[in-house]
mmCIF file of all heavy atoms in Angstrom:
data_model
loop_
_atom_site.group_PDB
_atom_site.id
_atom_site.type_symbol
_atom_site.label_atom_id
_atom_site.label_comp_id
_atom_site.label_asym_id
_atom_site.label_seq_id
_atom_site.Cartn_x
_atom_site.Cartn_y
_atom_site.Cartn_z
ATOM 1 N N MET A 1159 17.843 113.764 113.125
ATOM 2 C CA MET A 1159 18.751 114.669 113.798
ATOM 3 C C MET A 1159 18.032 115.939 114.235
ATOM 4 O O MET A 1159 17.305 116.527 113.455
ATOM 5 C CB MET A 1159 19.914 115.039 112.879
ATOM 6 C CG MET A 1159 21.210 114.862 113.642
ATOM 7 S SD MET A 1159 22.684 115.613 112.999
ATOM 8 C CE MET A 1159 22.737 115.272 111.303
ATOM 9 N N ALA A 1160 18.269 116.309 115.441
ATOM 10 C CA ALA A 1160 17.605 117.496 115.954
ATOM 11 C C ALA A 1160 18.240 118.755 115.379
ATOM 12 O O ALA A 1160 19.450 118.842 115.218
ATOM 13 C CB ALA A 1160 17.687 117.535 117.473
ATOM 14 N N GLU A 1161 17.410 119.684 115.108
ATOM 15 C CA GLU A 1161 17.901 120.947 114.572
ATOM 16 C C GLU A 1161 18.527 121.773 115.694
ATOM 17 O O GLU A 1161 17.982 121.829 116.790
ATOM 18 C CB GLU A 1161 16.742 121.711 113.933
ATOM 19 C CG GLU A 1161 17.208 122.895 113.084
ATOM 20 C CD GLU A 1161 16.014 123.633 112.480
ATOM 21 O OE1 GLU A 1161 15.043 122.969 112.070
ATOM 22 O OE2 GLU A 1161 16.054 124.856 112.444
ATOM 23 N N MET A 1162 19.636 122.355 115.382
ATOM 24 C CA MET A 1162 20.295 123.198 116.384
ATOM 25 C C MET A 1162 19.597 124.548 116.456
ATOM 26 O O MET A 1162 19.643 125.338 115.530
ATOM 27 C CB MET A 1162 21.760 123.414 116.013
ATOM 28 C CG MET A 1162 22.632 122.198 116.283
ATOM 29 S SD MET A 1162 23.056 122.009 118.035
ATOM 30 C CE MET A 1162 24.297 123.289 118.220
ATOM 31 N N THR A 1163 18.936 124.758 117.537
ATOM 32 C CA THR A 1163 18.246 126.030 117.716
ATOM 33 C C THR A 1163 18.968 126.845 118.767
ATOM 34 O O THR A 1163 19.152 126.390 119.897
ATOM 35 C CB THR A 1163 16.785 125.810 118.155
ATOM 36 O OG1 THR A 1163 16.172 124.919 117.261
ATOM 37 C CG2 THR A 1163 16.025 127.132 118.158
ATOM 38 N N GLU A 1164 19.368 128.008 118.379
ATOM 39 C CA GLU A 1164 20.072 128.870 119.316
ATOM 40 C C GLU A 1164 19.061 129.545 120.232
ATOM 41 O O GLU A 1164 18.126 130.178 119.773
ATOM 42 C CB GLU A 1164 20.888 129.916 118.570
ATOM 43 C CG GLU A 1164 22.158 129.349 117.969
ATOM 44 C CD GLU A 1164 23.042 130.452 117.420
ATOM 45 O OE1 GLU A 1164 22.655 131.057 116.419
ATOM 46 O OE2 GLU A 1164 24.087 130.707 118.000
ATOM 47 N N ARG A 1165 19.293 129.379 121.488
ATOM 48 C CA ARG A 1165 18.426 130.026 122.465
ATOM 49 C C ARG A 1165 19.281 131.002 123.245
ATOM 50 O O ARG A 1165 19.897 130.660 124.243
ATOM 51 C CB ARG A 1165 17.822 128.986 123.389
ATOM 52 C CG ARG A 1165 17.083 127.898 122.620
ATOM 53 C CD ARG A 1165 15.643 127.869 122.929
ATOM 54 N NE ARG A 1165 15.373 127.559 124.316
ATOM 55 C CZ ARG A 1165 14.143 127.516 124.825
ATOM 56 N NH1 ARG A 1165 13.109 127.762 124.054
ATOM 57 N NH2 ARG A 1165 13.948 127.229 126.085
ATOM 58 N N ILE A 1166 19.293 132.189 122.752
ATOM 59 C CA ILE A 1166 20.110 133.228 123.365
ATOM 60 C C ILE A 1166 19.206 134.169 124.143
ATOM 61 O O ILE A 1166 18.154 134.572 123.658
ATOM 62 C CB ILE A 1166 20.871 134.051 122.301
ATOM 63 C CG1 ILE A 1166 21.525 133.129 121.272
ATOM 64 C CG2 ILE A 1166 21.889 134.964 122.959
ATOM 65 C CD1 ILE A 1166 22.666 132.328 121.795
ATOM 66 N N THR A 1167 19.623 134.491 125.327
ATOM 67 C CA THR A 1167 18.852 135.456 126.106
ATOM 68 C C THR A 1167 19.599 136.777 126.175
ATOM 69 O O THR A 1167 20.820 136.813 126.204
ATOM 70 C CB THR A 1167 18.612 134.949 127.537
ATOM 71 O OG1 THR A 1167 19.856 134.594 128.123
ATOM 72 C CG2 THR A 1167 17.688 133.756 127.541
ATOM 73 N N CYS A 1168 18.831 137.838 126.200
ATOM 74 C CA CYS A 1168 19.399 139.171 126.355
ATOM 75 C C CYS A 1168 20.030 139.273 127.739
ATOM 76 O O CYS A 1168 19.396 138.939 128.731
ATOM 77 C CB CYS A 1168 18.308 140.223 126.181
ATOM 78 S SG CYS A 1168 18.889 141.892 126.519
ATOM 79 N N ILE A 1169 21.262 139.725 127.742
ATOM 80 C CA ILE A 1169 21.979 139.775 129.025
ATOM 81 C C ILE A 1169 21.451 140.888 129.920
ATOM 82 O O ILE A 1169 21.634 140.885 131.119
ATOM 83 C CB ILE A 1169 23.489 139.933 128.777
ATOM 84 C CG1 ILE A 1169 24.278 139.558 130.029
ATOM 85 C CG2 ILE A 1169 23.835 141.353 128.307
ATOM 86 C CD1 ILE A 1169 25.688 139.174 129.773
ATOM 87 N N THR A 1170 20.760 141.838 129.313
ATOM 88 C CA THR A 1170 20.266 142.972 130.081
ATOM 89 C C THR A 1170 18.882 142.704 130.667
ATOM 90 O O THR A 1170 18.632 142.926 131.847
ATOM 91 C CB THR A 1170 20.222 144.233 129.205
ATOM 92 O OG1 THR A 1170 21.511 144.455 128.635
ATOM 93 C CG2 THR A 1170 19.838 145.460 130.026
ATOM 94 N N CYS A 1171 17.958 142.222 129.818
ATOM 95 C CA CYS A 1171 16.586 142.063 130.291
ATOM 96 C C CYS A 1171 16.166 140.597 130.425
ATOM 97 O O CYS A 1171 15.133 140.314 130.996
ATOM 98 C CB CYS A 1171 15.623 142.818 129.381
ATOM 99 S SG CYS A 1171 15.438 142.095 127.746
ATOM 100 N N GLY A 1172 16.984 139.695 129.885
ATOM 101 C CA GLY A 1172 16.701 138.282 130.065
ATOM 102 C C GLY A 1172 15.724 137.691 129.077
ATOM 103 O O GLY A 1172 15.393 136.513 129.163
ATOM 104 N N ALA A 1173 15.243 138.503 128.128
ATOM 105 C CA ALA A 1173 14.293 138.018 127.153
ATOM 106 C C ALA A 1173 14.999 137.166 126.097
ATOM 107 O O ALA A 1173 16.162 137.412 125.768
ATOM 108 C CB ALA A 1173 13.599 139.195 126.487
ATOM 109 N N TYR A 1174 14.301 136.154 125.605
ATOM 110 C CA TYR A 1174 14.851 135.395 124.490
ATOM 111 C C TYR A 1174 14.929 136.301 123.270
ATOM 112 O O TYR A 1174 14.011 137.064 123.007
ATOM 113 C CB TYR A 1174 13.980 134.181 124.166
ATOM 114 C CG TYR A 1174 14.223 133.027 125.099
ATOM 115 C CD1 TYR A 1174 13.249 132.612 125.989
ATOM 116 C CD2 TYR A 1174 15.448 132.363 125.073
ATOM 117 C CE1 TYR A 1174 13.477 131.556 126.859
ATOM 118 C CE2 TYR A 1174 15.696 131.299 125.933
ATOM 119 C CZ TYR A 1174 14.710 130.908 126.821
ATOM 120 O OH TYR A 1174 14.941 129.866 127.670
ATOM 121 N N ILE A 1175 16.018 136.203 122.560
ATOM 122 C CA ILE A 1175 16.170 137.047 121.384
ATOM 123 C C ILE A 1175 16.285 136.200 120.135
ATOM 124 O O ILE A 1175 16.746 135.068 120.169
ATOM 125 C CB ILE A 1175 17.386 137.989 121.514
ATOM 126 C CG1 ILE A 1175 18.681 137.184 121.659
ATOM 127 C CG2 ILE A 1175 17.201 138.950 122.671
ATOM 128 C CD1 ILE A 1175 19.902 138.071 121.652
ATOM 129 N N LEU A 1176 15.848 136.778 119.033
ATOM 130 C CA LEU A 1176 15.948 136.132 117.739
ATOM 131 C C LEU A 1176 17.051 136.822 116.943
ATOM 132 O O LEU A 1176 16.968 138.014 116.663
ATOM 133 C CB LEU A 1176 14.623 136.234 116.987
ATOM 134 C CG LEU A 1176 13.444 135.481 117.601
ATOM 135 C CD1 LEU A 1176 12.142 135.953 116.972
ATOM 136 C CD2 LEU A 1176 13.606 133.984 117.408
ATOM 137 N N ILE A 1177 18.052 136.039 116.616
ATOM 138 C CA ILE A 1177 19.155 136.607 115.846
ATOM 139 C C ILE A 1177 18.658 136.970 114.445
ATOM 140 O O ILE A 1177 17.899 136.236 113.834
ATOM 141 C CB ILE A 1177 20.309 135.599 115.746
ATOM 142 C CG1 ILE A 1177 20.775 135.182 117.137
ATOM 143 C CG2 ILE A 1177 21.467 136.186 114.947
ATOM 144 C CD1 ILE A 1177 21.223 136.337 118.015
ATOM 145 N N GLY A 1178 19.048 138.110 113.975
ATOM 146 C CA GLY A 1178 18.644 138.556 112.652
ATOM 147 C C GLY A 1178 17.430 139.454 112.685
ATOM 148 O O GLY A 1178 16.911 139.850 111.672
ATOM 149 N N ASN A 1179 16.989 139.761 113.883
ATOM 150 C CA ASN A 1179 15.817 140.610 114.043
ATOM 151 C C ASN A 1179 16.207 141.945 114.680
ATOM 152 O O ASN A 1179 15.428 142.571 115.371
ATOM 153 C CB ASN A 1179 14.787 139.889 114.912
ATOM 154 C CG ASN A 1179 13.378 140.415 114.676
ATOM 155 O OD1 ASN A 1179 13.102 141.019 113.644
ATOM 156 N ND2 ASN A 1179 12.507 140.200 115.633
ATOM 157 N N GLY A 1180 17.451 142.324 114.454
ATOM 158 C CA GLY A 1180 17.949 143.547 115.064
ATOM 159 C C GLY A 1180 18.731 143.270 116.331
ATOM 160 O O GLY A 1180 19.395 144.133 116.868
ATOM 161 N N SER A 1181 18.609 142.053 116.814
ATOM 162 C CA SER A 1181 19.334 141.670 118.015
ATOM 163 C C SER A 1181 20.725 141.176 117.636
ATOM 164 O O SER A 1181 20.982 140.789 116.504
ATOM 165 C CB SER A 1181 18.591 140.566 118.754
ATOM 166 O OG SER A 1181 17.271 140.974 119.031
ATOM 167 N N VAL A 1182 21.594 141.205 118.579
ATOM 168 C CA VAL A 1182 22.964 140.804 118.304
ATOM 169 C C VAL A 1182 23.449 139.814 119.344
ATOM 170 O O VAL A 1182 22.939 139.744 120.464
ATOM 171 C CB VAL A 1182 23.915 142.027 118.296
ATOM 172 C CG1 VAL A 1182 23.603 142.943 117.130
ATOM 173 C CG2 VAL A 1182 23.855 142.787 119.603
ATOM 174 N N LYS A 1183 24.421 139.048 118.946
ATOM 175 C CA LYS A 1183 25.111 138.174 119.885
ATOM 176 C C LYS A 1183 26.595 138.247 119.592
ATOM 177 O O LYS A 1183 27.012 138.435 118.459
ATOM 178 C CB LYS A 1183 24.612 136.739 119.778
ATOM 179 C CG LYS A 1183 24.973 136.084 118.472
ATOM 180 C CD LYS A 1183 24.872 134.583 118.548
ATOM 181 C CE LYS A 1183 25.364 133.986 117.230
ATOM 182 N NZ LYS A 1183 25.265 132.547 117.174
ATOM 183 N N PHE A 1184 27.343 138.143 120.621
ATOM 184 C CA PHE A 1184 28.783 138.164 120.468
ATOM 185 C C PHE A 1184 29.411 137.486 121.671
ATOM 186 O O PHE A 1184 28.730 137.218 122.662
ATOM 187 C CB PHE A 1184 29.292 139.609 120.327
ATOM 188 C CG PHE A 1184 28.840 140.523 121.440
ATOM 189 C CD1 PHE A 1184 29.632 140.705 122.556
ATOM 190 C CD2 PHE A 1184 27.628 141.179 121.351
ATOM 191 C CE1 PHE A 1184 29.225 141.549 123.580
ATOM 192 C CE2 PHE A 1184 27.208 142.023 122.382
ATOM 193 C CZ PHE A 1184 28.012 142.205 123.488
ATOM 194 N N SER A 1185 30.670 137.209 121.547
ATOM 195 C CA SER A 1185 31.369 136.575 122.651
ATOM 196 C C SER A 1185 32.063 137.615 123.503
ATOM 197 O O SER A 1185 32.623 138.579 122.991
ATOM 198 C CB SER A 1185 32.411 135.580 122.115
ATOM 199 O OG SER A 1185 31.779 134.523 121.453
ATOM 200 N N CYS A 1186 32.003 137.405 124.778
ATOM 201 C CA CYS A 1186 32.674 138.318 125.695
ATOM 202 C C CYS A 1186 34.163 138.332 125.386
ATOM 203 O O CYS A 1186 34.779 137.273 125.297
ATOM 204 C CB CYS A 1186 32.433 137.856 127.133
ATOM 205 S SG CYS A 1186 33.393 138.786 128.348
ATOM 206 N N PRO A 1187 34.746 139.504 125.197
ATOM 207 C CA PRO A 1187 36.174 139.582 124.892
ATOM 208 C C PRO A 1187 37.051 139.106 126.041
ATOM 209 O O PRO A 1187 38.221 138.811 125.852
ATOM 210 C CB PRO A 1187 36.398 141.062 124.581
ATOM 211 C CG PRO A 1187 35.236 141.787 125.134
ATOM 212 C CD PRO A 1187 34.096 140.814 125.208
ATOM 213 N N GLU A 1188 36.475 139.054 127.213
ATOM 214 C CA GLU A 1188 37.260 138.645 128.375
ATOM 215 C C GLU A 1188 37.242 137.139 128.582
ATOM 216 O O GLU A 1188 38.261 136.513 128.755
ATOM 217 C CB GLU A 1188 36.741 139.349 129.635
ATOM 218 C CG GLU A 1188 37.063 140.835 129.696
ATOM 219 C CD GLU A 1188 38.555 141.087 129.868
ATOM 220 O OE1 GLU A 1188 39.226 140.304 130.554
ATOM 221 O OE2 GLU A 1188 39.031 142.085 129.294
ATOM 222 N N CYS A 1189 36.041 136.581 128.590
ATOM 223 C CA CYS A 1189 35.931 135.164 128.953
ATOM 224 C C CYS A 1189 35.331 134.303 127.850
ATOM 225 O O CYS A 1189 35.303 133.089 127.954
ATOM 226 C CB CYS A 1189 35.102 135.011 130.232
ATOM 227 S SG CYS A 1189 33.362 135.397 130.019
ATOM 228 N N GLY A 1190 34.865 134.932 126.773
ATOM 229 C CA GLY A 1190 34.346 134.156 125.662
ATOM 230 C C GLY A 1190 32.905 133.725 125.843
ATOM 231 O O GLY A 1190 32.351 133.033 124.997
ATOM 232 N N GLU A 1191 32.284 134.118 126.924
ATOM 233 C CA GLU A 1191 30.886 133.784 127.170
ATOM 234 C C GLU A 1191 30.013 134.416 126.091
ATOM 235 O O GLU A 1191 30.257 135.550 125.681
ATOM 236 C CB GLU A 1191 30.477 134.306 128.555
ATOM 237 C CG GLU A 1191 29.041 134.034 128.937
ATOM 238 C CD GLU A 1191 28.835 132.604 129.411
ATOM 239 O OE1 GLU A 1191 29.826 131.911 129.662
ATOM 240 O OE2 GLU A 1191 27.670 132.201 129.535
ATOM 241 N N LEU A 1192 29.018 133.661 125.639
ATOM 242 C CA LEU A 1192 28.124 134.195 124.627
ATOM 243 C C LEU A 1192 27.178 135.215 125.248
ATOM 244 O O LEU A 1192 26.491 134.930 126.219
ATOM 245 C CB LEU A 1192 27.328 133.055 123.999
ATOM 246 C CG LEU A 1192 26.693 133.364 122.645
ATOM 247 C CD1 LEU A 1192 27.752 133.720 121.609
ATOM 248 C CD2 LEU A 1192 25.890 132.166 122.176
ATOM 249 N N ILE A 1193 27.164 136.390 124.659
ATOM 250 C CA ILE A 1193 26.342 137.475 125.172
ATOM 251 C C ILE A 1193 25.334 137.866 124.109
ATOM 252 O O ILE A 1193 25.690 138.060 122.949
ATOM 253 C CB ILE A 1193 27.217 138.694 125.559
ATOM 254 C CG1 ILE A 1193 28.116 138.340 126.746
ATOM 255 C CG2 ILE A 1193 26.363 139.920 125.871
ATOM 256 C CD1 ILE A 1193 29.154 139.405 127.061
ATOM 257 N N GLY A 1194 24.086 137.970 124.502
ATOM 258 C CA GLY A 1194 23.053 138.406 123.576
ATOM 259 C C GLY A 1194 22.460 139.725 124.028
ATOM 260 O O GLY A 1194 22.397 140.014 125.223
ATOM 261 N N ARG A 1195 22.070 140.502 123.072
ATOM 262 C CA ARG A 1195 21.379 141.753 123.405
ATOM 263 C C ARG A 1195 20.183 141.884 122.486
ATOM 264 O O ARG A 1195 20.312 141.780 121.268
ATOM 265 C CB ARG A 1195 22.303 142.953 123.223
ATOM 266 C CG ARG A 1195 23.515 142.918 124.107
ATOM 267 C CD ARG A 1195 24.270 144.217 124.033
ATOM 268 N NE ARG A 1195 23.607 145.244 124.826
ATOM 269 C CZ ARG A 1195 23.842 146.541 124.701
ATOM 270 N NH1 ARG A 1195 24.667 146.962 123.793
ATOM 271 N NH2 ARG A 1195 23.233 147.401 125.453
ATOM 272 N N CYS A 1196 19.051 142.166 123.059
ATOM 273 C CA CYS A 1196 17.853 142.318 122.262
ATOM 274 C C CYS A 1196 17.820 143.715 121.644
ATOM 275 O O CYS A 1196 18.543 144.611 122.081
ATOM 276 C CB CYS A 1196 16.597 142.058 123.102
ATOM 277 S SG CYS A 1196 16.184 143.361 124.260
ATOM 278 N N VAL A 1197 16.993 143.867 120.650
ATOM 279 C CA VAL A 1197 16.969 145.128 119.910
ATOM 280 C C VAL A 1197 16.529 146.275 120.798
ATOM 281 O O VAL A 1197 16.964 147.413 120.645
ATOM 282 C CB VAL A 1197 16.073 144.990 118.660
ATOM 283 C CG1 VAL A 1197 14.623 144.714 119.050
ATOM 284 C CG2 VAL A 1197 16.158 146.226 117.774
ATOM 285 N N ARG A 1198 15.683 145.993 121.754
ATOM 286 C CA ARG A 1198 15.212 147.055 122.642
ATOM 287 C C ARG A 1198 16.364 147.603 123.484
ATOM 288 O O ARG A 1198 16.579 148.807 123.565
ATOM 289 C CB ARG A 1198 14.111 146.518 123.563
ATOM 290 C CG ARG A 1198 12.727 146.660 122.983
ATOM 291 C CD ARG A 1198 11.696 146.130 123.951
ATOM 292 N NE ARG A 1198 12.004 144.744 124.375
ATOM 293 C CZ ARG A 1198 11.398 144.122 125.340
ATOM 294 N NH1 ARG A 1198 10.479 144.716 126.018
ATOM 295 N NH2 ARG A 1198 11.710 142.885 125.640
ATOM 296 N N CYS A 1199 17.081 146.707 124.112
ATOM 297 C CA CYS A 1199 18.177 147.146 124.975
ATOM 298 C C CYS A 1199 19.290 147.778 124.152
ATOM 299 O O CYS A 1199 19.960 148.692 124.610
ATOM 300 C CB CYS A 1199 18.704 145.955 125.780
ATOM 301 S SG CYS A 1199 17.496 145.327 126.964
ATOM 302 N N LYS A 1200 19.472 147.298 122.939
ATOM 303 C CA LYS A 1200 20.482 147.882 122.065
ATOM 304 C C LYS A 1200 20.085 149.310 121.708
ATOM 305 O O LYS A 1200 20.900 150.235 121.752
ATOM 306 C CB LYS A 1200 20.615 147.032 120.796
ATOM 307 C CG LYS A 1200 21.888 147.304 120.011
ATOM 308 C CD LYS A 1200 22.231 146.120 119.128
ATOM 309 C CE LYS A 1200 21.225 145.904 118.012
ATOM 310 N NZ LYS A 1200 21.403 146.884 116.939
ATOM 311 N N ASP A 1201 18.838 149.499 121.373
ATOM 312 C CA ASP A 1201 18.356 150.837 121.020
ATOM 313 C C ASP A 1201 18.447 151.796 122.196
ATOM 314 O O ASP A 1201 18.750 152.969 122.048
ATOM 315 C CB ASP A 1201 16.904 150.760 120.531
ATOM 316 C CG ASP A 1201 16.814 150.292 119.095
ATOM 317 O OD1 ASP A 1201 17.887 150.167 118.452
ATOM 318 O OD2 ASP A 1201 15.705 150.052 118.611
ATOM 319 N N LEU A 1202 18.182 151.270 123.366
ATOM 320 C CA LEU A 1202 18.223 152.109 124.556
ATOM 321 C C LEU A 1202 19.653 152.373 125.005
ATOM 322 O O LEU A 1202 19.887 153.208 125.864
ATOM 323 C CB LEU A 1202 17.445 151.442 125.687
ATOM 324 C CG LEU A 1202 15.922 151.404 125.491
ATOM 325 C CD1 LEU A 1202 15.289 150.539 126.563
ATOM 326 C CD2 LEU A 1202 15.337 152.799 125.544
ATOM 327 N N GLY A 1203 20.581 151.638 124.406
ATOM 328 C CA GLY A 1203 21.976 151.833 124.755
ATOM 329 C C GLY A 1203 22.282 151.430 126.185
ATOM 330 O O GLY A 1203 23.142 151.994 126.835
ATOM 331 N N LYS A 1204 21.548 150.429 126.642
ATOM 332 C CA LYS A 1204 21.780 149.978 128.012
ATOM 333 C C LYS A 1204 23.121 149.278 128.116
ATOM 334 O O LYS A 1204 23.572 148.633 127.186
ATOM 335 C CB LYS A 1204 20.660 149.013 128.433
ATOM 336 C CG LYS A 1204 19.344 149.710 128.626
ATOM 337 C CD LYS A 1204 18.402 148.813 129.392
ATOM 338 C CE LYS A 1204 17.090 149.535 129.670
ATOM 339 N NZ LYS A 1204 16.186 148.764 130.493
ATOM 340 N N ARG A 1205 23.684 149.410 129.258
ATOM 341 C CA ARG A 1205 24.944 148.737 129.497
ATOM 342 C C ARG A 1205 24.702 147.264 129.729
ATOM 343 O O ARG A 1205 23.658 146.859 130.198
ATOM 344 C CB ARG A 1205 25.621 149.322 130.736
ATOM 345 C CG ARG A 1205 26.376 150.582 130.461
ATOM 346 C CD ARG A 1205 27.217 150.929 131.668
ATOM 347 N NE ARG A 1205 28.214 151.931 131.348
ATOM 348 C CZ ARG A 1205 29.238 152.221 132.143
ATOM 349 N NH1 ARG A 1205 29.366 151.584 133.289
ATOM 350 N NH2 ARG A 1205 30.110 153.135 131.804
ATOM 351 N N PHE A 1206 25.685 146.489 129.384
ATOM 352 C CA PHE A 1206 25.619 145.079 129.720
ATOM 353 C C PHE A 1206 26.818 144.752 130.597
ATOM 354 O O PHE A 1206 27.823 145.449 130.580
ATOM 355 C CB PHE A 1206 25.629 144.216 128.456
ATOM 356 C CG PHE A 1206 26.930 144.264 127.702
ATOM 357 C CD1 PHE A 1206 27.942 143.378 128.020
ATOM 358 C CD2 PHE A 1206 27.121 145.194 126.695
ATOM 359 C CE1 PHE A 1206 29.152 143.421 127.334
ATOM 360 C CE2 PHE A 1206 28.328 145.242 126.008
ATOM 361 C CZ PHE A 1206 29.335 144.373 126.331
ATOM 362 N N SER A 1207 26.680 143.722 131.346
ATOM 363 C CA SER A 1207 27.822 143.254 132.109
ATOM 364 C C SER A 1207 27.839 141.743 132.075
ATOM 365 O O SER A 1207 26.817 141.077 132.209
ATOM 366 C CB SER A 1207 27.757 143.769 133.547
ATOM 367 O OG SER A 1207 26.578 143.330 134.176
ATOM 368 N N CYS A 1208 29.003 141.214 131.882
ATOM 369 C CA CYS A 1208 29.182 139.769 131.863
ATOM 370 C C CYS A 1208 29.446 139.270 133.266
ATOM 371 O O CYS A 1208 29.830 140.034 134.148
ATOM 372 C CB CYS A 1208 30.350 139.421 130.929
ATOM 373 S SG CYS A 1208 30.674 137.659 130.813
ATOM 374 N N LYS A 1209 29.230 137.987 133.445
ATOM 375 C CA LYS A 1209 29.449 137.432 134.784
ATOM 376 C C LYS A 1209 30.929 137.466 135.192
ATOM 377 O O LYS A 1209 31.252 137.370 136.368
ATOM 378 C CB LYS A 1209 28.930 135.995 134.846
ATOM 379 C CG LYS A 1209 29.627 135.046 133.886
ATOM 380 C CD LYS A 1209 28.914 133.705 133.940
ATOM 381 C CE LYS A 1209 29.556 132.729 132.949
ATOM 382 N NZ LYS A 1209 28.797 131.471 132.867
ATOM 383 N N CYS A 1210 31.800 137.645 134.186
ATOM 384 C CA CYS A 1210 33.223 137.726 134.507
ATOM 385 C C CYS A 1210 33.604 139.118 134.992
ATOM 386 O O CYS A 1210 34.712 139.346 135.448
ATOM 387 C CB CYS A 1210 34.064 137.350 133.301
ATOM 388 S SG CYS A 1210 34.105 138.585 131.997
ATOM 389 N N GLY A 1211 32.682 140.075 134.861
ATOM 390 C CA GLY A 1211 32.971 141.411 135.335
ATOM 391 C C GLY A 1211 33.141 142.413 134.206
ATOM 392 O O GLY A 1211 33.166 143.608 134.435
ATOM 393 N N PHE A 1212 33.254 141.887 132.985
ATOM 394 C CA PHE A 1212 33.394 142.779 131.854
ATOM 395 C C PHE A 1212 32.079 143.494 131.589
ATOM 396 O O PHE A 1212 31.003 142.917 131.709
ATOM 397 C CB PHE A 1212 33.799 141.981 130.615
ATOM 398 C CG PHE A 1212 33.900 142.813 129.360
ATOM 399 C CD1 PHE A 1212 35.064 143.501 129.068
ATOM 400 C CD2 PHE A 1212 32.827 142.879 128.482
ATOM 401 C CE1 PHE A 1212 35.151 144.265 127.905
ATOM 402 C CE2 PHE A 1212 32.910 143.640 127.330
ATOM 403 C CZ PHE A 1212 34.083 144.335 127.043
ATOM 404 N N TYR A 1213 32.170 144.765 131.261
ATOM 405 C CA TYR A 1213 30.957 145.474 130.893
ATOM 406 C C TYR A 1213 31.237 146.456 129.759
ATOM 407 O O TYR A 1213 32.382 146.817 129.516
ATOM 408 C CB TYR A 1213 30.359 146.211 132.090
ATOM 409 C CG TYR A 1213 31.216 147.333 132.627
ATOM 410 C CD1 TYR A 1213 31.080 148.630 132.136
ATOM 411 C CD2 TYR A 1213 32.141 147.096 133.627
ATOM 412 C CE1 TYR A 1213 31.878 149.653 132.623
ATOM 413 C CE2 TYR A 1213 32.949 148.115 134.118
ATOM 414 C CZ TYR A 1213 32.806 149.387 133.611
ATOM 415 O OH TYR A 1213 33.593 150.401 134.088
ATOM 416 N N GLY A 1214 30.206 146.825 129.060
ATOM 417 C CA GLY A 1214 30.381 147.720 127.925
ATOM 418 C C GLY A 1214 29.084 148.449 127.626
ATOM 419 O O GLY A 1214 28.057 148.173 128.238
ATOM 420 N N PRO A 1215 29.160 149.351 126.686
ATOM 421 C CA PRO A 1215 27.996 150.154 126.324
ATOM 422 C C PRO A 1215 26.975 149.353 125.509
ATOM 423 O O PRO A 1215 27.352 148.383 124.866
ATOM 424 C CB PRO A 1215 28.581 151.274 125.496
ATOM 425 C CG PRO A 1215 29.848 150.697 124.919
ATOM 426 C CD PRO A 1215 30.339 149.703 125.929
HETATM 427 ZN ZN1 ZN B 1649 16.993 143.153 126.369
HETATM 428 ZN ZN1 ZN B 1650 32.885 137.612 130.311
#
């Protein structure tokens, strides 16, 4: 059986992120799309925007 490996990309910079390394993932409150943010973009407080139009700090 193949191991389930989560491949989440940062929605701001597009880099692959590793969960548990300061990076976060959550579901868009609007459409439920999985959103990832890398630790760099989180620290910089960059805005993110989902493809549904939702955006946040
Ligand atoms: Zn990023
Ligand atoms: Zn969304």
Side-chain angles (χ1 to χ4, degrees):
M1159 229 196 314
E1161 192 181 321
M1162 285 282 285
T1163 308
E1164 284 189 291
R1165 305 243 297 178
I1166 314 291
T1167 53
C1168 174
I1169 198 158
T1170 305
C1171 70
Y1174 280 113
I1175 61 175
L1176 294 165
I1177 303 302
N1179 203 21
S1181 305
V1182 293
K1183 67 162 185 182
F1184 53 93
S1185 295
C1186 172
E1188 288 292 325
C1189 69
E1191 180 79 13
L1192 199 61
I1193 294 171
R1195 298 189 77 197
C1196 74
V1197 64
R1198 270 181 307 169
C1199 294
K1200 196 158 67 76
D1201 281 353
L1202 290 171
K1204 289 196 177 184
R1205 278 191 165 193
F1206 67 89
S1207 59
C1208 180
K1209 61 186 178 186
C1210 73
F1212 177 85
Y1213 65 90

